[in-house]
Every structure is written in C-alpha cells, then in structure tokens.
Amino acid sequence: MKKGYITLGIVLSCLFIVFISFMSFTNGFSKKEVTDNETIDVNSETVLALQDILLNGDDLRKAYLSNKTISDQEVLQYILVNLEKNDYKMKTVVPEKIMCNVTGDIFFISDNVCKVEVISNDKVREYEKKIFGIDRELKYDEINYHGLNCKNNGQKYYCLVNDYVDTYKTYSLVDKAYVNNDEIYLYEYYLKINLLDSTDCNKYYNKTYCDNYLTEQAPEIVSDIVKKDGVYYKHTFKKNEFNLYSLIKSEIVVK
C-alpha cells in the first residue's frame, strides 16, 4: 500500500511538472505574440501614405469595415474620386439641344459644355487590388458621387464633372502605429464636423466662419480637441502584390 502511495505521488509530481512547463511555454508564446508588434514612427513616410488613403475615403469610415464585405458601390466611389490625372482621359463635349453625346450609348443632359472623365474598367480593377487588396468582378452601375455623374458602357466609365462643395471638415491624428510581418496597424483619432449644422460648426469654429465657410479659411483646431472629441479607429493594412499596403479592415475601438 505504501509503495502504491509513493508511485501515485511520483506520477502526480510528474504531471504537475509537465503542466507547469506547458503553461510557461504557452504564456511565453503569448507574450512573444504581443511583443512581435514593432512600433513605427507616426511621422514616417509609410504611415503618412496610409493616412492619406484613409483621408481620401471619408465615406468608408464605419463602425466596422472589411474588404471582404465592402460593397461594389463603396469600392467604386472611393476609386472614382481618388484617381490620378494620368489614370483617365478628359473629353470635352459641346451640347446639342441640351444633350452631350459622348458615345453612341452614353450621353448627358446639360446646358453647358460637358467635361467628361473617361476611365477604363481595367484601371478601376487595378485600384481595387491596390487599395483594398481584392480582385472581384464589380458591378459597374451608374454612380452619382461627389460631383461625378458616371455611366459605364461595359468597358469604360464616362463621368460628367459637376461643381461639388464638401460640407464637412475632417481631422485625422495618428496616435500610434505598429508593423507585424506583412501587416501594419494604425490607430487614429478622427473628427468630422458638419458645416451645415450650426450647432456642430459653432462648437469648433467662430460664427464668422460658420456663416461663410465657402469663402473663409477654417480656424486651426488643436490636437487635444481631436483627441477629446474624435472617434478612435484601428486600421489594418496588409502588403499586396504591388508591394504596397491595402486596407483590409477598419474598426472603432474603445481606448
């Protein structure tokens, strides 16, 4: 009986040692996972370039956004207003009886000369891969967005350029940034002010500016206000086939 107790004690001791070793290993692994994030200077060229991508897509800011569930319309809207000048051709069309005939099946109604941006579907797909890291068949529907009235004939977008005034002022303040393998995590305060809402506007600006924001220069807003009132986001970027970082996820987090 005594020998049995000794044997049982040895077995339990061995199991205890194995358990402690396992816990130490997993805890060490977990800590390594956390410390694998390498801090990046928020003023570095890489971080500033990623911040520009975010600032160019205000309508993409939601409580949660993923490149797996983002809609075709959201993708197209972002791309169409962020093309470089060499990404499209500009076509000028003089209206005939208030109709600007751009192609055999594309026309716009206008009393004035029509300035039309012509963008190939291939160029749109290229941006789709670069910015969002996705490659899917988009539905090229007609889009009216930020002064662009765009129609597609199956091969190209023809976008009539109209006057557009943005009635929001936005402020972005990057709090911190990390890199982990092929991903970058960017944490940001983001403040959006509706200039058409007098209560919202006057909270941050003087009455002179709020009454004349189309002609007046906006007063400065200190970073402490952006931190205090801004929404706190975590944006995840992943390196794509172009050796650039695509936005794959964006979410509001509690600081």
Side-chain angles (χ1 to χ4, degrees):
M1 179 66 72
K2 186 174 182 180
K3 182 182 289 187
Y5 283 128
I6 294 174
T7 302
L8 179 60
I10 294 173
V11 171
L12 291 175
S13 297
C14 291
L15 289 174
F16 180 75
I17 292 172
V18 170
F19 175 76
I20 293 298
S21 300
F22 175 76
M23 292 301 294
S24 298
F25 172 77
T26 54
N27 286 339
F29 182 77
S30 298
K31 289 178 182 177
K32 184 176 184 303
E33 286 284 303
V34 173
T35 57
D36 273 348
N37 288 343
E38 179 184 344
T39 303
I40 312 175
D41 182 0
V42 296
N43 294 311
S44 67
E45 185 177 342
T46 299
V47 172
L48 292 176
L50 298 181
Q51 187 180 21
D52 282 342
I53 291 176
L54 298 171
L55 291 175
N56 290 336
D58 179 70
D59 287 347
L60 297 179
R61 292 181 182 275
K62 304 177 183 299
Y64 180 83
L65 179 143
S66 167
N67 66 345
K68 295 179 180 179
T69 58
I70 189 171
S71 69
D72 287 1
Q73 183 173 350
E74 289 170 324
V75 171
L76 290 167
Q77 286 175 343
Y78 180 94
I79 293 172
L80 290 172
V81 298
N82 287 291
L83 294 169
E84 301 290 340
K85 287 188 177 180
N86 60 351
D87 291 327
Y88 59 86
K89 295 180 180 179
M90 184 64 75
K91 188 171 184 177
T92 301
V93 182
V94 178
E96 297 180 6
K97 296 181 180 179
I98 73 166
M99 184 176 292
C100 291
N101 290 296
V102 185
T103 70
D105 50 359
I106 299 290
F107 66 88
F108 299 100
I109 303 298
S110 177
D111 291 323
N112 304 310
V113 173
C114 294
K115 295 181 179 180
V116 181
E117 294 179 3
V118 183
I119 309 122
S120 72
N121 290 354
D122 289 339
K123 179 58 66 176
V124 172
R125 292 292 294 278
E126 180 182 322
Y127 266 79
E128 175 194 1
K129 295 177 184 179
K130 283 183 179 179
I131 302 300
F132 300 103
I134 56 178
D135 183 16
R136 69 186 188 212
E137 291 292 336
L138 299 172
K139 295 179 181 178
Y140 296 102
D141 297 326
E142 182 173 343
I143 292 178
N144 284 283
Y145 185 68
H146 284 203
L148 294 178
N149 180 4
C150 301
K151 300 179 181 181
N152 195 287
N153 66 352
Q155 297 179 321
K156 298 177 181 178
Y157 264 115
Y158 295 86
C159 298
L160 175 66
V161 181
N162 298 304
D163 292 334
Y164 174 76
V165 177
D166 194 349
T167 57
Y168 290 90
K169 288 288 292 183
T170 59
Y171 297 87
S172 170
L173 180 64
V174 177
D175 181 39
K176 55 189 176 182
Y178 302 101
V179 61
N180 189 336
N181 295 324
D182 60 348
E183 292 188 344
I184 286 180
Y185 313 111
L186 191 153
Y187 293 81
E188 171 212 35
Y189 294 98
Y190 185 74
L191 177 62
K192 182 176 181 179
I193 303 169
N194 185 354
L195 301 178
L196 293 179
D197 184 329
S198 59
T199 301
D200 194 26
C201 187
N202 284 286
K203 179 180 179 181
Y204 300 99
Y205 306 118
N206 55 54
K207 188 175 185 303
T208 300
Y209 173 73
C210 291
D211 291 343
N212 305 278
Y213 66 86
L214 292 176
T215 56
E216 293 286 326
Q217 184 174 353
E220 294 292 330
I221 287 185
V222 297
S223 59
D224 286 347
I225 292 179
V226 179
K227 285 184 177 181
K228 175 178 174 292
D229 293 348
V231 178
Y232 199 59
Y233 283 93
K234 176 186 177 182
H235 308 285
T236 302
F237 297 85
K238 188 170 185 177
K239 190 166 287 188
N240 57 35
E241 62 184 279
F242 299 93
N243 203 34
L244 301 170
Y245 285 96
S246 300
L247 177 64
I248 62 170
K249 187 166 62 173
S250 181
E251 56 197 318
I252 293 175
V253 296
V254 178
K255 193 174 185 300

